[in-house]
Amino acid sequence: MKFNRILLSAALVVVALVVQVSVLARLQLPGAVPDLVLLTVVALALVYGHVTGALVGFTAGLLADLAPPADHAAGRYALVLCVVGYLCGLARPENGRLKSATGPMAVVVVAAVGSTLLYAGVGALVGDTAARHVGLGFLLFTAALYDLLLAPFTVPLIMALARRAENDPLAEANGANGADVSSGWLSSGTGLRIGTQRSGLRVKAARTRAARAGRIKGVKRL
């Protein structure tokens, strides 16, 4: 892993974990808790790929296992997020472009459901039956719902930061064309056509300059 990846991933995971423990875990919502750490791992895996996704997932999960008020065995959530990060990294396209929000949103839903199932399955192996008392079906529904509602406000931002920190030429090219990994999500998933508007303004400015140059040349010829 590059130094920029390590530094940014560590900072994002720590911030997500602090918000998760201090804010989201205290909302007392019915069913599951919105998982900002999971969304951070998913976003980084979609940009960096399956290897980095697995490493980030394991590290984030281990920190979540050790952070108070953890009430489960250490390493349990690390295993879950390691698998999730690896699988989400496999969903990253080879060219790195995700123009539509449909793909990332589907990845978020699958990650939320899969992580809940895997966490409950590992818990059943070690004798934790908390999911049975709450209801596994209700946990799956609320986990997918909460993460899906939180994803448009977090995942595109994290992906954009990951691209910038990577100094990826593809990010600059995509930004100029209005087809960045995050701008595709924002334009189709949240209605914020940021990249498209900027590229449209640039095209209009270029056309205006060309028209002025044409008029000046015509005057000089006369």
Side-chain angles (χ1 to χ4, degrees):
M1 292 177 63
K2 298 181 179 179
F3 179 75
N4 288 345
R5 288 190 183 186
I6 297 175
L7 185 61
L8 179 65
S9 299
L12 291 175
V13 167
V14 170
V15 171
L17 184 60
V18 171
V19 175
Q20 179 81 29
V21 174
S22 60
V23 178
L24 298 179
R26 298 183 180 183
L27 293 178
Q28 296 182 350
L29 296 174
V33 176
D35 199 339
L36 184 58
V37 177
L38 172 67
L39 295 179
T40 302
V41 172
V42 170
L44 292 175
L46 287 175
V47 175
Y48 294 144
H50 60 282
V51 176
T52 303
L55 294 175
V56 172
F58 178 81
T59 304
L62 187 60
L63 291 177
D65 288 331
L66 299 177
D71 57 353
H72 56 269
R76 180 176 170 184
Y77 202 47
L79 173 62
V80 172
L81 288 188
C82 180
V83 174
V84 170
Y86 181 84
L87 295 179
C88 290
L90 293 177
R92 174 185 180 272
E94 294 182 358
N95 58 4
R97 297 182 180 181
L98 293 171
K99 296 182 180 180
S100 174
T102 304
M105 294 290 273
V107 172
V108 169
V109 174
V110 173
V113 174
S115 62
T116 305
L117 285 174
L118 185 58
Y119 185 82
V122 175
L125 294 177
V126 298
D128 185 358
T129 60
R132 297 180 182 178
H133 299 291
V134 179
L136 183 58
F138 185 62
L139 280 177
L140 293 175
F141 174 75
T142 53
L145 178 61
Y146 296 154
D147 291 347
L148 194 60
L149 292 176
L150 185 60
F153 304 100
T154 56
V155 175
L157 177 61
I158 295 173
M159 294 175 70
L161 290 175
R163 280 291 186 195
R164 295 298 180 182
E166 189 73 0
N167 294 324
D168 191 350
L170 179 62
E172 299 178 359
N174 286 342
N177 296 328
D180 188 72
V181 174
S182 59
S183 65
W185 180 305
L186 289 171
S187 62
S188 57
T190 63
L192 301 177
R193 301 179 180 274
I194 298 175
T196 304
Q197 288 179 356
R198 289 181 178 176
S199 61
L201 292 176
R202 291 174 182 173
V203 172
K204 289 182 180 179
R207 290 178 179 176
T208 302
R209 288 194 297 269
R212 290 178 180 175
R215 288 196 296 268
I216 293 173
K217 290 181 180 178
V219 172
K220 289 181 177 180
R221 290 176 180 176
L222 293 176

